[in-house]
Amino acid sequence: MAQTGRAGRQPASYAAPVRGVSVTDHFFGRLRETVRTRMLPYQWEALNDRVPDAEPSHCLENFRIAAGLAKGEHGGFVFQDSDVYKWIEACAWSLAWHPDEALLSRVREAVDLIAAAQCPDGYLNTYYQLTAPEKRFTNLLNNHELYCVGHLLEAALALAEVTGEEKLLNTARRAVACVRRHIGPEEGKLHGYPGHEVLEMALCRLYEYAGDEEALSFAKYLLEERGKEPLFFEEERKRNGNRFYWEDSAFRYAYCQAHMPVKEQTDAAGHAVRAMYLYAGMAEEARLTGDEEMAAAAQRLWESVTRRQMYITGAVGASAYGESFTYDYDLPNGLVYGETCASVGLAFFAERMLRLHPRAEYADVLEKVLYNGAISGMSLSGTEFFYVNPLEAEPKRDALVEAFRHVKTRRQPWFSCACCPPNLARLLTSLGNYLWMTREDRLYVHLYAAAEGRVTAASGTARVAVRSGYPWDGRISVKTEVEEGEVTLALRVPGWCAAWEVSLDGHPVEASLEEGYLVLPALMTGEHEAVLDLAMPAKAMTADRRIRADHGKLAVQKGPIVFCLEEADNGPDLYELAMSPDAPFYVETCKGELAGMIRVRVPGYRVYDDVPKRETPALYHPAGALRREPFTLTFIPYCAWANREEGEMRVFVNRL
Amino acid sequence: MAQTGRAGRQPASYAAPVRGVSVTDHFFGRLRETVRTRMLPYQWEALNDRVPDAEPSHCLENFRIAAGLAKGEHGGFVFQDSDVYKWIEACAWSLAWHPDEALLSRVREAVDLIAAAQCPDGYLNTYYQLTAPEKRFTNLLNNHELYCVGHLLEAALALAEVTGEEKLLNTARRAVACVRRHIGPEEGKLHGYPGHEVLEMALCRLYEYAGDEEALSFAKYLLEERGKEPLFFEEERKRNGNRFYWEDSAFRYAYCQAHMPVKEQTDAAGHAVRAMYLYAGMAEEARLTGDEEMAAAAQRLWESVTRRQMYITGAVGASAYGESFTYDYDLPNGLVYGETCASVGLAFFAERMLRLHPRAEYADVLEKVLYNGAISGMSLSGTEFFYVNPLEAEPKRDALVEAFRHVKTRRQPWFSCACCPPNLARLLTSLGNYLWMTREDRLYVHLYAAAEGRVTAASGTARVAVRSGYPWDGRISVKTEVEEGEVTLALRVPGWCAAWEVSLDGHPVEASLEEGYLVLPALMTGEHEAVLDLAMPAKAMTADRRIRADHGKLAVQKGPIVFCLEEADNGPDLYELAMSPDAPFYVETCKGELAGMIRVRVPGYRVYDDVPKRETPALYHPAGALRREPFTLTFIPYCAWANREEGEMRVFVNRL
């Protein structure tokens, strides 16, 4: 199957992701295989309502009804169509590295059905088509018509890029054209924008793929119109009597980032998934149009997210209410929402920032999310999922106390709102797109997952192979076979790394550090091997002192992997365990369910106030002496939590 | 005005509260005067919809409309009538210690209006009378008809006891008779009980006041029917299609303590105010009927509340959702609900347990609630109130984060659901009833608020005067002038007290300790002075090690008073402050707004991880050295928090 990705259409000063990279990595390989062999087939069954004992998804049936091929009523959410689109996108990326005629024919079946369901004027949204065709585009605030078109376009572009088949893309372009006939700056059109962003990103991608200037200018319009006074969503409510679910919330229109024009926004706010998709779209549009004001806004929001509102796992969205951001440094470990989709969205945002400007800070976050808070959303078996990714789990509390009931301590087989699993699937199957970028004469290696591919820089072409034992081992080999001209390697030094050595062809080499990347001398024709050795000791981490929830606590990290304590290894009452940052950290290989991973053992203590029992057991008593019982704390990778028996978990542990 | 309280009708082995005690105490005197001179008049205006800039309460207007004296529609909640009843009750108790013809005439005006509004058949609930008279008694689960009758009866009994005027009591008895005609064990009647308890307690009191056996047996019925299968509330829903607001909650019918028969209940559960009123009623009924099974259930629930689910301030109800209990040792300091009414209810429960059996443990809780978690619901000015009484306040979080938005960091002038202020008013105005009890030949002194009164024990009578500087000073003088026979003093040794001395008429005296009370030799005719000197140092307290929220933390307590840190004294970021339990505690007199109180200053530290700023300010970084800056922590009494500028507050502080 041909990789038909076309040339990017942005100025050369920006970075271009390398396409067609083949991921040979063991860590991600296992997850990707699980997605390919279990999730994608399982989801096909789910989309077809053929999973025994599961509520029907109605997904494909909705399209069949809309196409006149079946009778019935619309089922599921207003955004139900997007599950099909995300599944197609995930399949498309998977076909790029694992051709599969059977899968392709399922995809074609879905594509045909979608095309058949489309209205003659291009409109496509089975919810409105089947329930209230006269009401289309009357509730952009709450309903997800533009969101669905965005995902349709993303799927169509992936499928076209990977297979060269453009049938779905034609459907998507007709759907966009229909949207555009109703929405835009022209008089008589709705001056609206999506209640849930994603179309902005997708339109930028359409421009890149097909050179469609109209798509880019529409993306720009959607971004720039958002949040302007008088507020479209307010006007729409007055006109159509729509409900606003967040009327009494503290965030109100910030829920959908419409509280002010996007270029004026400085603080990540509202629904975290919506925010991530918006910010990624802003970065994308800034790059493609050269809009420096938009780029500056994207950078400010990046800083707001990653320097003030992000968990150590890469989770974002501290509050379950509105699945939303709250405010700077408010990062409670147990109440957290940390939706899997929001972490996936943060990966999108990081990738767009890297393309704007290759800076290790962005790749650090991309790496953090990929190895921790995103993949924690999926069991090792690939069949069970978390919507919410807490940094502290207490099964009893999380079952009984309403404020915590969004936190599950066992992964679920599927969700009625099945956004997260396919989102994770499309991220993992497209992982090859995230690893490397070219910019002028340089090949930027952002991530050290083992991979191979052919790289075309401005100055030359090369075959490149990265080998590593990442994320467990920090020694990375980058072999290049320069075929033409010259290529310069820019190897990222992760933010977590305090010491490294780099050699070229077996000899130490002078390499300048530019924005977190080691820039090696230009490589001329022939074979070369650069070896980067990143010191990767397990170590104790602390949070910024303004994060109240983490005061007096430590987390354990080794390389990009964040660890956690689980009851399975440590017994209950994890809140009594404590350790010193100066304790020895013993790194061991995991056995059993977690084989292939490493764990960290740290001698510490169980600490408690040793008060003698009294006759009347009072709940509160004069402070006694602190008792410290030696206790060895066993940490496992956070991404692998909740794969054994249900129990407590925590990332941050008391500091001695 | 005569005190016409009649003889209790229970076996002599139970304790009887001493009525007609005059409270001369400075600490409570100020609060009681505030209630009398500010709250009661203010609430009269509120009941009459005469408070400028406030939403009308509709309270008296509803009665006027029901009486045919005005035209209009019902306004306010389904339990709106109870605000009037609670106001009358508070006034009645206040009239006992401060005769006031003007107030009495207002009360009579309300009493006349209530009587006029009553239906010919005795039914009385303005909500149903004015909105759906045909639907009375069709939704005991959610609506508050029986609750309102309960409060009516409580008010009527107080008024009758204090003034001898029984007009309201006649109204109340007719209302009870109407309820009884519809509800009860007989065939053809509803086998129901109140969705919100209080009527049980009130019926017991009616029995005690008037010897009404039917009232007692109805109370017993309401208690014993509750939670039986098939569940009345379920049947009622099926029959009448009522909504159940807690269908998807973890607690469901435990919300109103109807998840199982009350005699089988072992864990405090559901809505905390409902629970307190039920448990108080159970203890009351057990005493009056001699039902040992019911007494044992009350004792189990007492232990569940006070040994496993109570905050150090006496707050109960850990969760805002359902204003409810959660589970053992789940006592988060910031998420807490701790409704003022629930603490008031806990005082009722404690008082009933004391009457069942005078045991210092019950009085300890009564004292804890009175001096901390109940009165914290009211500003020192008596004009602003808290519904929720947190142990940790963070204004920004509590304003912005949904899970905390029930926590206010400024008291409010009044509430649309105005249950708490009048509940506090009736507790404080009736404080004299809570101080002392007689049992056989003994006078039990539970609380050391300064007070005077005439005591009739089985063995004799005496005039008694308690003098103290309580709660700031632990030296207590109890002067007795035995008029007839002999009286034995039983003086409580509070659970918080580790050392005491007791003397009689200037000489050390042998006193046995029985269930937490020092039992002195019988006092014969003449004047005596017992002096009890309770050591009352400020000290560091820790919580039971199973309370996760308080792990590694200390609270400061001196005598019954629990302290807290406020931003007004300590600046922001209280979470960084830490102290050792062994530090010296300096006790000082407060100045300014808090004059008359004491504060505690403790040399401690501000502790944080001293990490050098990096170029890219990462949120998480390798642990640095802990830095400890000396910092003197200033604690003020918890009951007085939020009387100065808005800011952070916390009761539990980090332990070094």
Side-chain angles (χ1 to χ4, degrees):
Chain A
M1 216 153 297
Q3 288 274 328
T4 60
R6 302 185 187 176
R9 292 174 186 267
Q10 89 272 352
S13 68
Y14 296 116
V18 180
R19 296 304 218 198
V21 174
S22 169
V23 179
T24 57
D25 190 70
H26 181 259
F27 181 87
F28 283 117
R30 190 164 75 168
L31 294 171
R32 281 155 56 93
E33 275 301 296
T34 302
V35 169
R36 189 183 69 74
T37 60
R38 307 198 61 162
M39 268 180 78
L40 296 180
Y42 180 93
Q43 200 188 352
W44 176 247
E45 296 305 297
L47 295 174
N48 278 289
D49 303 335
R50 290 191 300 243
V51 175
D53 305 326
E55 289 286 305
S57 77
H58 302 282
C59 286
L60 287 167
E61 188 67 8
N62 289 336
F63 283 103
R64 277 186 209 107
I65 299 167
L69 302 171
K71 290 206 182 297
E73 295 183 350
H74 184 271
F77 294 93
V78 62
F79 48 80
Q80 208 72 2
D81 295 354
S82 65
D83 282 1
V84 180
Y85 305 147
K86 284 194 268 184
W87 177 81
I88 293 174
E89 187 185 343
C91 291
W93 297 123
S94 136
L95 290 169
W97 48 270
H98 190 98
D100 179 336
E101 278 302 326
L103 182 62
L104 182 59
S105 68
R106 286 173 183 173
V107 169
R108 285 177 179 146
E109 186 185 329
V111 167
D112 291 346
L113 192 54
I114 293 164
Q118 188 165 37
C119 292
D121 70 347
Y123 185 83
L124 183 53
N125 181 287
T126 67
Y127 174 82
Y128 274 101
Q129 287 172 254
L130 300 182
T131 65
E134 75 288 0
K135 293 205 168 161
R136 41 156 101 162
F137 304 128
T138 59
N139 193 347
L140 301 189
L141 172 60
N142 297 312
N143 292 346
H144 287 62
E145 286 158 294
L146 306 195
Y147 170 81
C148 287
V149 171
H151 273 300
L152 169 63
L153 188 51
E154 289 275 349
L157 288 163
L159 197 62
E161 177 176 329
V162 172
T163 66
E165 297 184 9
E166 296 201 342
K167 178 168 184 179
L168 190 64
L169 185 58
N170 291 334
T171 301
R173 294 181 81 159
R174 291 183 59 220
V176 169
C178 175
V179 168
R180 185 64 189 82
R181 279 197 303 280
H182 289 85
I183 296 172
E186 298 87 354
E187 207 169 333
K189 292 188 182 176
L190 295 171
H191 304 322
Y193 36 86
H196 192 314
E197 303 91 332
V198 76
L199 182 57
E200 300 84 348
M201 263 196 284
L203 288 168
C204 289
R205 218 155 118 187
L206 175 60
Y207 165 75
E208 281 205 283
Y209 179 86
D212 183 341
E213 297 281 351
E214 165 69 8
L216 182 60
S217 74
F218 190 38
K220 185 178 171 67
Y221 172 78
L222 294 179
L223 290 170
E224 296 192 339
E225 192 64 20
R226 186 172 214 89
K228 276 196 183 153
E229 288 293 344
L231 195 67
F232 172 77
F233 290 144
E234 277 283 2
E235 304 284 308
E236 187 191 53
R237 285 175 63 198
K238 277 186 221 156
R239 205 162 45 234
N240 305 327
N242 301 329
R243 260 191 76 185
F244 180 46
Y245 297 95
W246 313 102
E247 186 72 55
D248 299 323
S249 68
F251 41 71
R252 305 194 80 247
Y253 287 104
Y255 173 74
C256 47
Q257 298 77 44
H259 51 309
M260 61 174 76
V262 300
K263 285 183 177 175
E264 295 171 22
Q265 296 186 19
T266 53
D267 294 293
H271 186 261
V273 179
R274 282 173 167 78
M276 291 302 103
Y277 288 7
L278 171 66
Y279 308 157
M282 289 167 66
E284 195 88 322
E285 191 265 353
R287 174 173 55 80
L288 294 172
T289 64
D291 183 340
E292 289 187 15
E293 221 184 319
M294 188 67 86
Q299 174 65 25
R300 281 196 310 273
L301 290 164
W302 171 266
E303 293 175 12
S304 170
V305 174
T306 64
R307 299 183 188 179
R308 302 194 295 275
Q309 298 201 67
M310 181 184 70
Y311 287 87
I312 194 171
T313 58
V316 287
S319 171
Y321 180 74
E323 306 173 314
S324 69
F325 286 100
T326 57
Y327 62 95
D328 290 353
Y329 310 108
D330 178 53
L331 295 161
N333 292 302
L335 283 170
V336 53
Y337 202 71
E339 186 177 338
T340 303
C341 284
S343 286
V344 170
L346 179 52
F348 297 158
F349 186 20
E351 199 265 352
R352 270 58 171 190
M353 293 305 287
L354 278 169
R355 294 189 67 184
L356 257 181
H357 195 101
R359 201 175 267 147
E361 181 190 351
Y362 307 133
D364 283 349
V365 171
L366 177 58
E367 182 182 79
K368 179 185 278 297
V369 165
L370 281 172
Y371 285 95
N372 303 284
I375 59 171
S376 59
M378 181 175 139
S379 67
L380 294 176
S381 66
T383 54
E384 294 178 322
F385 306 94
F386 277 140
Y387 209 101
V388 165
N389 295 276
L391 280 80
E392 181 186 292
E394 289 186 9
K396 191 166 186 178
R397 179 186 71 186
D398 300 338
L400 294 178
V401 181
E402 189 63 21
F404 294 88
R405 282 178 84 202
H406 59 285
V407 175
K408 304 297 172 208
T409 49
R410 280 182 195 280
R411 289 187 180 78
Q412 317 281 305
W414 200 254
F415 306 102
S416 59
C417 173
C419 60
C420 295
N423 228 348
L424 204 47
R426 69 190 183 117
L427 177 67
L428 285 169
T429 53
S430 65
L431 184 71
N433 299 345
Y434 289 80
L435 307 182
W436 310 342
M437 287 181 187
T438 55
R439 187 194 187 202
E440 296 168 350
D441 61 334
R442 290 185 188 169
L443 170 64
Y444 282 88
V445 182
H446 300 312
L447 298 174
Y448 294 121
E452 305 178 347
R454 192 151 176 285
V455 170
T456 303
S459 52
T461 61
R463 297 211 149 266
V464 178
V466 170
R467 295 277 176 280
S468 78
Y470 222 73
W472 315 118
D473 185 86
R475 186 180 164 89
I476 297 133
S477 151
V478 182
K479 286 194 181 162
T480 46
E481 190 189 333
V482 179
E483 296 175 332
E484 195 193 324
E486 57 180 54
V487 170
T488 300
L489 286 180
L491 306 178
R492 171 174 147 264
V493 177
W496 49 258
C497 183
W500 64 90
E501 285 178 10
V502 62
S503 67
L504 187 61
D505 299 327
H507 303 288
V509 63
E510 283 284 309
S512 61
L513 192 63
E514 292 182 21
E515 305 208 85
Y517 289 83
L518 286 170
V519 181
L520 272 55
L523 302 176
M524 307 295 181
T525 317
E527 291 186 14
H528 304 277
E529 182 182 21
V531 172
L532 175 61
D533 213 336
L534 303 169
M536 195 189 270
K539 57 188 165 189
M541 304 290 289
T542 54
D544 186 290
R545 66 183 277 203
R546 288 163 290 195
I547 302 180
R548 291 163 193 241
D550 298 335
H551 179 83
K553 295 198 169 78
L554 299 170
V556 172
Q557 187 170 342
K558 178 183 184 305
I561 295 285
V562 173
F563 287 75
C564 69
L565 294 174
E566 268 203 315
E567 187 171 338
D569 301 303
N570 300 282
D573 301 332
L574 301 178
Y575 66 97
E576 289 191 333
L577 303 183
M579 58 182 256
S580 158
D582 307 319
F585 284 55
Y586 300 106
V587 174
E588 300 176 353
T589 309
C590 290
K591 286 170 191 152
E593 299 92 330
L594 309 185
M597 301 202 164
I598 66 121
R599 63 183 198 172
V600 179
R601 306 194 80 205
V602 185
Y605 299 90
R606 180 175 288 282
V607 182
Y608 55 93
D609 189 329
D610 190 25
V611 177
K613 290 248 179 275
R614 300 198 314 169
E615 212 177 290
T616 300
L619 261 182
Y620 305 95
H621 43 68
L626 275 192
R627 183 155 169 194
R628 290 184 180 181
E629 287 170 5
F631 187 98
T632 298
L633 288 72
T634 301
F635 292 85
I636 64 155
Y638 172 75
C639 62
W641 88 276
N643 278 286
R644 295 174 297 171
E645 64 268 31
E646 193 177 25
E648 295 177 23
M649 181 278 292
R650 55 173 57 199
V651 171
F652 278 94
V653 58
N654 296 323
R655 177 177 187 160
L656 267 192
Chain B
M1 216 153 299
Q3 288 275 328
T4 61
R6 301 185 187 176
R9 291 173 187 269
Q10 89 271 353
S13 67
Y14 296 117
V18 179
R19 295 305 218 197
V21 174
S22 169
V23 179
T24 57
D25 190 71
H26 180 260
F27 181 87
F28 283 117
R30 190 164 76 170
L31 293 172
R32 281 154 58 92
E33 275 301 296
T34 303
V35 168
R36 190 183 69 75
T37 59
R38 307 199 61 162
M39 268 180 78
L40 295 180
Y42 181 93
Q43 200 188 352
W44 176 247
E45 296 305 297
L47 295 175
N48 277 288
D49 304 336
R50 291 191 300 243
V51 176
D53 306 326
E55 289 287 304
S57 77
H58 302 282
C59 286
L60 287 168
E61 187 68 8
N62 290 335
F63 283 102
R64 278 185 208 108
I65 299 167
L69 303 172
K71 289 204 183 298
E73 295 182 350
H74 183 272
F77 293 93
V78 62
F79 48 81
Q80 208 72 3
D81 295 354
S82 65
D83 281 2
V84 181
Y85 305 147
K86 284 194 270 184
W87 177 80
I88 293 174
E89 187 185 342
C91 291
W93 297 124
S94 136
L95 291 169
W97 49 270
H98 190 98
D100 180 336
E101 279 302 325
L103 182 62
L104 182 59
S105 68
R106 285 174 184 173
V107 169
R108 286 177 180 145
E109 185 185 329
V111 167
D112 291 344
L113 192 54
I114 293 165
Q118 189 165 36
C119 292
D121 70 348
Y123 184 84
L124 184 52
N125 181 286
T126 67
Y127 174 82
Y128 274 101
Q129 287 171 255
L130 300 182
T131 65
E134 75 289 359
K135 292 207 170 160
R136 41 156 100 163
F137 304 128
T138 59
N139 193 346
L140 302 189
L141 172 60
N142 296 313
N143 292 345
H144 287 62
E145 286 158 295
L146 307 196
Y147 170 82
C148 286
V149 171
H151 273 299
L152 169 63
L153 189 51
E154 290 273 348
L157 287 164
L159 198 61
E161 176 176 329
V162 172
T163 66
E165 298 184 9
E166 296 201 342
K167 178 167 183 179
L168 191 63
L169 186 57
N170 291 334
T171 302
R173 295 180 81 158
R174 291 183 60 220
V176 170
C178 175
V179 168
R180 184 65 189 82
R181 280 197 302 280
H182 289 85
I183 297 172
E186 298 86 355
E187 208 168 334
K189 293 188 182 177
L190 294 171
H191 303 322
Y193 36 86
H196 192 314
E197 303 91 331
V198 78
L199 181 57
E200 301 83 349
M201 262 197 285
L203 288 168
C204 290
R205 218 155 119 186
L206 176 59
Y207 165 74
E208 281 205 282
Y209 178 85
D212 183 340
E213 296 282 349
E214 165 69 8
L216 182 60
S217 73
F218 190 38
K220 185 178 170 66
Y221 172 78
L222 294 179
L223 290 170
E224 296 193 339
E225 192 63 22
R226 186 172 214 90
K228 277 197 184 152
E229 288 293 342
L231 194 68
F232 173 77
F233 290 144
E234 277 283 2
E235 304 285 306
E236 187 192 53
R237 284 174 65 198
K238 277 185 221 155
R239 205 162 46 235
N240 305 328
N242 301 328
R243 259 190 77 184
F244 181 46
Y245 298 95
W246 313 102
E247 187 71 56
D248 299 323
S249 67
F251 41 71
R252 305 196 76 246
Y253 286 103
Y255 173 74
C256 46
Q257 300 76 44
H259 52 308
M260 62 174 77
V262 299
K263 285 183 177 175
E264 295 171 22
Q265 296 186 19
T266 53
D267 294 294
H271 186 261
V273 179
R274 282 172 168 79
M276 291 303 103
Y277 288 7
L278 170 66
Y279 307 158
M282 289 168 66
E284 195 88 322
E285 191 266 351
R287 175 173 55 80
L288 294 172
T289 63
D291 183 341
E292 290 187 14
E293 222 185 319
M294 189 66 86
Q299 174 64 26
R300 282 197 308 273
L301 291 164
W302 172 266
E303 293 176 11
S304 170
V305 173
T306 64
R307 299 184 186 177
R308 301 194 296 275
Q309 299 200 67
M310 181 184 71
Y311 287 87
I312 194 171
T313 57
V316 287
S319 171
Y321 181 73
E323 306 174 315
S324 70
F325 285 100
T326 57
Y327 62 96
D328 290 354
Y329 310 107
D330 178 54
L331 294 161
N333 292 303
L335 283 170
V336 54
Y337 202 69
E339 185 177 338
T340 303
C341 283
S343 287
V344 170
L346 179 53
F348 298 158
F349 186 20
E351 199 266 351
R352 270 58 172 190
M353 293 304 287
L354 278 170
R355 293 191 65 185
L356 256 182
H357 195 103
R359 201 174 269 145
E361 180 191 351
Y362 307 133
D364 283 349
V365 170
L366 178 58
E367 181 183 80
K368 180 184 276 298
V369 164
L370 281 172
Y371 285 95
N372 303 284
I375 59 171
S376 59
M378 182 174 138
S379 67
L380 295 175
S381 66
T383 53
E384 293 178 322
F385 306 93
F386 278 140
Y387 210 102
V388 166
N389 295 278
L391 281 80
E392 181 185 294
E394 290 186 8
K396 191 167 187 180
R397 180 185 69 185
D398 300 337
L400 294 178
V401 180
E402 189 63 21
F404 295 88
R405 282 179 84 203
H406 59 285
V407 175
K408 304 297 172 209
T409 48
R410 279 182 195 279
R411 288 188 181 77
Q412 317 281 304
W414 200 254
F415 305 101
S416 59
C417 173
C419 59
C420 296
N423 228 348
L424 204 46
R426 68 190 183 117
L427 177 68
L428 286 169
T429 54
S430 66
L431 184 72
N433 299 346
Y434 289 81
L435 306 181
W436 311 339
M437 286 181 188
T438 55
R439 187 192 185 202
E440 297 168 350
D441 61 334
R442 290 184 187 169
L443 170 65
Y444 282 87
V445 182
H446 300 313
L447 299 173
Y448 295 120
E452 306 178 346
R454 189 149 178 285
V455 171
T456 303
S459 52
T461 60
R463 297 211 150 267
V464 178
V466 171
R467 295 277 176 281
S468 76
Y470 222 73
W472 315 118
D473 185 85
R475 185 181 165 90
I476 298 135
S477 151
V478 182
K479 287 195 179 161
T480 47
E481 189 188 333
V482 179
E483 297 175 331
E484 194 194 324
E486 57 180 55
V487 170
T488 300
L489 286 180
L491 306 179
R492 172 173 148 264
V493 177
W496 49 258
C497 182
W500 64 89
E501 283 178 10
V502 63
S503 67
L504 187 60
D505 299 327
H507 304 286
V509 64
E510 283 284 308
S512 60
L513 192 63
E514 292 183 21
E515 305 208 85
Y517 289 82
L518 286 170
V519 180
L520 272 55
L523 302 175
M524 307 296 179
T525 316
E527 291 186 13
H528 303 277
E529 183 182 20
V531 173
L532 175 61
D533 213 337
L534 302 169
M536 196 188 268
K539 56 188 165 189
M541 304 290 288
T542 54
D544 186 291
R545 65 184 279 204
R546 288 164 291 195
I547 302 179
R548 291 162 193 241
D550 298 335
H551 179 83
K553 295 198 169 78
L554 299 170
V556 172
Q557 188 170 340
K558 178 182 183 306
I561 295 285
V562 174
F563 288 75
C564 69
L565 295 174
E566 269 203 314
E567 187 171 338
D569 300 302
N570 299 283
D573 301 331
L574 302 178
Y575 66 97
E576 288 191 334
L577 303 183
M579 58 181 256
S580 159
D582 307 320
F585 285 54
Y586 300 106
V587 174
E588 300 176 353
T589 308
C590 290
K591 287 172 189 150
E593 298 93 330
L594 309 185
M597 301 202 165
I598 66 120
R599 64 182 198 173
V600 179
R601 306 195 80 205
V602 185
Y605 298 90
R606 182 175 287 282
V607 181
Y608 55 92
D609 189 331
D610 191 24
V611 177
K613 290 247 180 278
R614 300 197 314 169
E615 210 177 291
T616 300
L619 261 183
Y620 305 95
H621 42 69
L626 276 191
R627 184 156 169 194
R628 290 184 180 180
E629 286 170 5
F631 188 97
T632 297
L633 288 71
T634 301
F635 292 85
I636 64 154
Y638 172 75
C639 62
W641 88 276
N643 278 286
R644 296 173 296 172
E645 63 267 33
E646 192 178 26
E648 294 177 24
M649 182 277 293
R650 55 173 58 198
V651 171
F652 279 94
V653 57
N654 296 324
R655 177 177 187 160
L656 267 192

